[in-house]
Amino acid sequence: MSAVTHPRFRPRSGGRGSTWWSKAWARTVEEAAYAGEDLRAGKALARRGAVGHIVVSEGRFVAPVDEGDDTFTVEGALERLDDEAMAMLVDVVAAGAGRIASLLAGDLPHPFVEAVEESGVELLPFAGELSWSCSCSAWMDPCRHALAVGTQVGWLVAADPFALILMRGLGRDELLARLQALGTVEDQSASAGVDDLDTGLDAALRAARILEVAADPDRAIDHLV
C-alpha cells in the first residue's frame, strides 16, 4: 500500500492559497459538519497548527490533533475506485496531451476532471463519501478534530492533486508506471523535446516543489529537497 506522510502545517494568520478543487474539498467538509460551532472550532484548530503530520494512503488519511493537554487521533476514509474505474482514470490521463505534466506541476485542470466525470468516475468526493473516526469522546461525527484534519487535507490537495488521487486508491508511482506501460509518459516527453525520461520527470517534480513553496512561503521546506 502506498502512503505519503505530509509534515505539520505551521500556524499562520490569514488564508492559504487555494485552488478550485481544494475549494470543492472544503465544501465537502463543510457539508459533512453537523453544527456550525464544530466547523468553526475545527477550522480554528487547523489554522493554529494543532494538526500533526498527516499520513495519506489508499482510501484513507490519519493525523493527530492537539487540544489542550490531550492529543486525539483522527482517521478519515474515502471510497476507493474499483479496478474498472481506476483503469478508466488512467485512460483519461493518457488521452490528453500534457495532463500528466499538469498533475506533476501541482495542477488539476477543470477539463480533465470533467472528462473523468464524463467517463463515469468521480474524483472529487461528496460529503456522504467521507467517513470519520476520532479517539475523543464527542458523539458528533465528524467532531471538531476530524473537521480540523479535513480542513488541512484540503490544503494538501491544493498543493498536490496526487494526494486526492492517492486517497482514491491510485498512488503517484503506480499511475506513472501504468502510463509508462501505455507509452504515454515517453510520448509526452518526446513531444516536449526531452530525451531522457527520468530527466523530464525530475524537472516536473522540481517545478511542483517550487509551486508549493510559492503558494505557501511560510511552510517548512525540509520535505521539498
Side-chain angles (χ1 to χ4, degrees):
M1 175 179 289
S2 300
V4 178
T5 300
H6 298 268
R8 179 191 293 266
F9 284 92
R10 294 192 296 179
R12 59 175 293 189
S13 59
R16 290 182 180 270
S18 62
T19 59
W20 73 266
W21 61 90
S22 66
K23 291 177 181 177
W25 177 277
R27 285 195 298 272
T28 296
V29 172
E30 291 170 358
E31 290 170 1
Y34 282 94
E37 181 179 355
D38 286 333
L39 180 60
R40 289 189 293 273
K43 289 183 175 181
L45 286 169
R47 286 193 298 270
R48 67 173 179 255
V51 179
H53 294 357
I54 302 175
V55 179
V56 177
S57 58
E58 297 165 3
R60 65 196 295 263
F61 50 92
V62 182
V65 180
D66 299 326
E67 187 177 31
D69 296 329
D70 297 317
T71 299
F72 304 100
T73 300
V74 171
E75 296 188 25
L78 177 61
E79 185 176 353
R80 296 176 55 179
L81 301 177
D82 59 25
D83 292 342
E84 182 178 354
M86 208 170 291
M88 188 67 70
L89 174 61
V90 174
D91 287 343
V92 173
V93 176
R99 284 177 176 169
I100 186 58
S102 294
L103 290 171
L104 286 169
D107 188 23
L108 190 65
H110 202 279
F112 164 64
V113 175
E114 288 182 333
V116 172
E117 292 178 347
E118 288 173 0
S119 72
V121 178
E122 293 292 337
L123 192 56
L124 290 164
F126 56 88
E129 283 188 288
L130 288 173
S131 60
W132 319 78
S133 67
C134 180
S135 60
C136 76
S137 59
W139 63 271
M140 284 289 191
D141 184 18
C143 64
R144 61 185 179 274
H145 309 112
L147 293 169
V149 174
T151 296
Q152 286 206 1
V153 170
W155 300 350
L156 291 180
V157 301
D160 182 9
F162 277 104
L164 174 61
I165 296 174
L166 176 56
M167 284 186 284
R168 282 302 196 185
L170 188 61
R172 180 195 302 253
D173 291 343
E174 183 181 354
L175 174 59
L176 291 175
R178 290 192 184 202
L179 292 172
Q180 189 168 359
L182 294 173
T184 303
V185 177
E186 290 91 337
D187 292 344
Q188 292 191 13
S189 296
S191 66
V194 178
D195 296 327
D196 184 358
L197 173 60
D198 292 334
T199 301
L201 289 177
D202 182 68
L205 289 169
R206 288 178 182 275
R209 295 185 182 104
I210 292 170
L211 287 173
E212 184 177 346
V213 173
D216 187 359
D218 291 338
R219 185 174 176 183
I221 61 173
D222 294 344
H223 68 298
L224 300 179
V225 295

